[in-house]
Amino acid sequence: MIKISCAACGQILTRDGRWGDISEWDNLVAERCSPVAAGVFVRLPEDSVSVLQPDNQSRTQVYSPENAVSAHPEMVIRENWTSAGVDQGCCGSSGMDGPNRACTCWQMVATEWSDCYTQAEIRFLPDTIVVSE
């Protein structure tokens, strides 16, 4: 089992999970669905492009760097991090402006998507986290 912690202070950010293969990550999921199952972490092998379809207008944008770690929102220990950076959306976080979650030590660690028109996903920034087994 693995877990993710903040590289700056060591705070544990996730529940225990397992590494999944890139085939277990689906970036074309429906709104509010997670591209990865709860309990699974998937390392994204390249800059990640997400497809958004607000108002039936499809567009793509690079949202996370190579080696970012995708996680289901249920994997995060919410009391160990906070909203930070530009964090907007009508009923959740759009993720449109990049990293929007920080550890309680204020180290930016991830981008969360949780708005009504986005996937439900956390992508941890590879240079700000430590993955331990």
Side-chain angles (χ1 to χ4, degrees), residues 4-11 13 103 105 107 109 125-130:
I4 294 174
S5 58
C6 174
C9 73
Q11 177 81 268
L13 302 172
C103 176
C105 75
Q107 169 67 48
V109 293
L125 304 171
D127 295 337
T128 66
I129 60 168
V130 173

Side-chain angles (χ1 to χ4, degrees), residues 4-26:
I4 294 174
S5 58
C6 174
C9 73
Q11 177 81 268
I12 296 171
L13 302 172
T14 67
R15 299 174 194 339
D16 288 345
R18 68 169 176 82
W19 279 120
D21 185 79
I22 191 65
S23 66
E24 295 181 71
W25 180 79
D26 178 9

Side-chain angles (χ1 to χ4, degrees), residues 63-78:
Y63 286 110
S64 59
E66 179 180 348
N67 292 319
V69 177
S70 176
H72 191 286
E74 291 178 11
M75 296 303 293
V76 175
I77 301 172
R78 296 278 171 183

Side-chain angles (χ1 to χ4, degrees), residues 44-122:
L44 304 176
E46 56 193 31
D47 288 347
S48 183
V49 178
S50 289
V51 177
L52 298 179
Q53 297 182 336
D55 301 323
N56 295 321
Q57 298 293 319
S58 179
R59 70 185 185 103
T60 59
Q61 183 171 344
V62 176
Y63 286 110
S64 59
E66 179 180 348
N67 292 319
V69 177
S70 176
H72 191 286
E74 291 178 11
M75 296 303 293
V76 175
I77 301 172
R78 296 278 171 183
E79 57 270 14
N80 291 355
W81 74 350
T82 188
S83 175
V86 178
D87 187 17
Q88 56 187 336
C90 64
C91 54
S93 297
S94 72
M96 298 285 291
D97 298 299
N100 59 15
R101 292 295 177 267
C103 176
T104 54
C105 75
W106 292 101
Q107 169 67 48
M108 195 67 78
V109 293
T111 302
E112 176 178 314
W113 288 266
S114 57
D115 210 359
C116 58
Y117 69 94
T118 68
Q119 72 272 26
E121 181 180 18
I122 308 299

